[in-house]
Amino acid sequence: MNNVRILVAGATGYVGSRLVSVLLDEGHEVVATSRDVGKLVDFGWYEDVTPVTLDAHDAASAKQAFAEAGPVDLLYYLVHGIGQPDFREADNRAAANVAAAARDAGVRRIVYLGGFVPAGDELSEHLTSRAEVAHALTLDDGPELVWLGAAMIIGAGSTSFEMLRYVGDRFVLIPMPPWVHNPMDPISIRDVLHYLAAAADPARVPAGAYDIHGPDTTTYGDLMLAYARVSGKWRASLPVPGVETSVLSRLSVMTSPVPGGLVADLVASLGHPMMASDDGLRALVPDPPGGLVGIDDAITLALSSRRPRPVNALTDPHHLADTDPVWAGGDTLRIRRLATMVTPTVARPVLGLVGAIPGPVAAALRTGLDTLIGLLPRTGPR
């Protein structure tokens, strides 16, 4: 595909920030947008993009963004408000605003990353919203839409992976309600980016809906045990019959630094099978060099991330970027960050020993860790 001019709505998010790096590496011109354009300065690719303010929830702002961006061939839509109050209605409105502005600006194609939509009438707000957003982005006289659906994305910094990490790190006995045995088709962040980049080319990927997934089918319960195995931790299943997702959601909120709204909305979706409905794009898009990344390899790559780096300087997209959420990266990294904020420079080499702290001591440190980090200014190391 010839180099094109691409607008990325949601460029500051986990997937969006890595996608910008991929698109720049492929030689495309990239317009990166944010509701607060000043936040774009934090990203390593800032000097290589055109920064534009876009508040998707404001129709006038959406229209102005495309006017400032200039000619745009393709729009990646990666905006979502999951974890926020009334996000479903807000997400629908935002998608409609951006789709209308893109149509008026002459954009030819929208690529949207959403989720799987399992069969059934009682879907979670999160899953229902993903389908509704796709509908809102589809205008009769608007750009053609490529909707890619994905289940859990494995990679350091991904909200769903970080939830998995904290459960695997903090629970020796992992609660296993019956619904954690629902089948699931996760996908690595590297493969998500591979398919997103391919979807930009109409000659390869016709407009339509496609589920994307990795090579392995698993369950959420087996995924938690796989995390423990790969990370070298002894963990065991604890069957808990009759526990609903709402109960596990409250437990996860209490035991994880991931924001409560995000946890609640994502956990509510675990009560449904999350299997791809088709072969996705594998019939249209060749696998990346070396093939799709399996579950164990994806977890290994995510755990191999050490010190966060600028997103455009990551040696692998599974690694943690310095612009990923401050709660991402696991307890050892969070303890080091906290200690770095309050430790004199001369004593900081000692912080490299944090990873060797015995389990009971580390557990005690975690007791007040989340509260302390929440009270500290966010201008320190990330």
Side-chain angles (χ1 to χ4, degrees), residues 114-208:
F116 293 167
V117 181
D121 298 327
E122 297 185 7
L123 299 179
S124 69
E125 288 283 290
H126 168 52
L127 297 177
T128 302
S129 173
R130 297 302 86 207
E132 291 174 344
V133 165
H135 179 73
L137 290 170
T138 307
L139 303 179
D140 290 338
D141 55 347
E144 64 182 12
L145 178 68
V146 177
W147 173 16
L148 303 186
M152 178 179 177
I153 299 175
I154 301 177
S158 161
T159 301
S160 51
F161 176 77
E162 294 299 336
M163 287 171 54
L164 178 78
R165 185 206 299 264
Y166 283 112
V167 171
D169 287 350
R170 295 184 173 190
F171 288 84
V172 175
L173 297 177
I174 300 178
M176 294 281 187
W179 46 263
V180 302
H181 302 298
N182 286 330
M184 172 191 290
D185 287 332
I187 185 169
S188 79
I189 180 59
R190 183 189 295 174
D191 294 337
V192 170
L193 297 172
H194 173 72
Y195 286 125
L196 281 171
D201 187 356
R204 298 173 69 186
V205 180

Side-chain angles (χ1 to χ4, degrees), residues 263-295:
V263 170
D265 291 334
L266 287 174
V267 170
S269 300
L270 295 178
H272 305 278
M274 295 298 288
M275 292 188 67
S277 60
D278 52 48
D279 287 334
L281 297 181
R282 295 193 75 177
L284 302 173
V285 177
D287 290 348
L292 298 175
V293 183
I295 291 171

Side-chain angles (χ1 to χ4, degrees), residues 59-60 62-67 70-72 75 96-110 137 139 141-143:
K63 187 176 183 66
Q64 180 63 27
F66 282 94
V72 169
L75 163 67
N97 289 340
V98 173
R103 174 198 60 200
D104 295 345
V107 175
R108 299 194 298 268
R109 168 172 281 216
I110 297 174
L137 290 170
L139 303 179
D141 55 347

Side-chain angles (χ1 to χ4, degrees), residues 5-360:
R5 187 168 173 81
I6 299 172
L7 187 146
V8 179
T12 60
Y14 171 71
V15 174
S17 61
R18 287 160 172 77
L19 178 63
V20 169
S21 295
V22 170
L23 297 175
L24 290 171
D25 287 344
E26 292 186 351
H28 300 298
E29 292 184 64
V30 177
V31 179
T33 71
S34 174
R35 182 184 304 182
D36 179 0
V37 75
K39 291 182 178 179
L40 296 174
V41 179
D42 295 337
F43 292 81
W45 37 249
Y46 176 73
E47 297 294 336
D48 300 317
V49 304
T50 301
V52 170
T53 300
L54 168 60
D55 181 355
H57 300 90
D58 183 330
S61 173
K63 187 176 183 66
Q64 180 63 27
F66 282 94
E68 293 180 11
V72 169
D73 303 297
L74 172 72
L75 163 67
Y76 280 99
Y77 191 81
L78 306 171
V79 176
H80 58 84
I82 183 172
Q84 304 299 318
D86 301 321
F87 74 89
R88 180 176 168 185
E89 179 182 351
D91 275 3
N92 290 339
R93 184 170 60 252
N97 289 340
V98 173
R103 174 198 60 200
D104 295 345
V107 175
R108 299 194 298 268
R109 168 172 281 216
I110 297 174
V111 178
Y112 162 59
L113 178 63
F116 293 167
V117 181
D121 298 327
E122 297 185 7
L123 299 179
S124 69
E125 288 283 290
H126 168 52
L127 297 177
T128 302
S129 173
R130 297 302 86 207
E132 291 174 344
V133 165
H135 179 73
L137 290 170
T138 307
L139 303 179
D140 290 338
D141 55 347
E144 64 182 12
L145 178 68
V146 177
W147 173 16
L148 303 186
M152 178 179 177
I153 299 175
I154 301 177
S158 161
T159 301
S160 51
F161 176 77
E162 294 299 336
M163 287 171 54
L164 178 78
R165 185 206 299 264
Y166 283 112
V167 171
D169 287 350
R170 295 184 173 190
F171 288 84
V172 175
L173 297 177
I174 300 178
M176 294 281 187
W179 46 263
V180 302
H181 302 298
N182 286 330
M184 172 191 290
D185 287 332
I187 185 169
S188 79
I189 180 59
R190 183 189 295 174
D191 294 337
V192 170
L193 297 172
H194 173 72
Y195 286 125
L196 281 171
D201 187 356
R204 298 173 69 186
V205 180
Y210 307 88
D211 286 346
I212 57 175
H213 55 92
D216 303 323
T217 295
T218 185
T219 68
Y220 193 70
D222 286 343
L223 198 57
M224 289 189 284
L225 296 177
Y227 173 86
R229 182 181 65 252
V230 172
S231 62
K233 296 178 172 66
W234 183 89
R235 296 293 185 264
S237 303
L238 177 63
V240 282
V243 175
E244 297 182 355
T245 55
S246 59
V247 176
L248 187 64
S249 174
R250 289 193 291 271
L251 178 63
S252 299
V253 168
M254 290 187 292
T255 59
S256 164
V258 181
L262 278 174
V263 170
D265 291 334
L266 287 174
V267 170
S269 300
L270 295 178
H272 305 278
M274 295 298 288
M275 292 188 67
S277 60
D278 52 48
D279 287 334
L281 297 181
R282 295 193 75 177
L284 302 173
V285 177
D287 290 348
L292 298 175
V293 183
I295 291 171
D296 282 14
D297 288 340
I299 294 173
T300 299
L301 287 165
L303 295 180
S304 70
S305 177
R306 295 292 183 255
R307 182 166 170 252
R309 303 180 63 190
V311 69
N312 63 325
L314 296 177
T315 55
D316 190 282
H318 294 87
H319 292 172
L320 195 67
D322 59 8
T323 43
D324 288 333
V326 70
W327 40 259
D331 284 319
T332 298
L333 177 61
R334 287 167 59 76
I335 291 170
R336 285 177 179 161
R337 282 172 169 165
L338 174 61
T340 300
M341 292 177 185
V342 298
T343 303
T345 303
V346 68
R348 289 181 182 175
V350 178
L351 299 180
L353 300 176
V354 168
I357 294 175

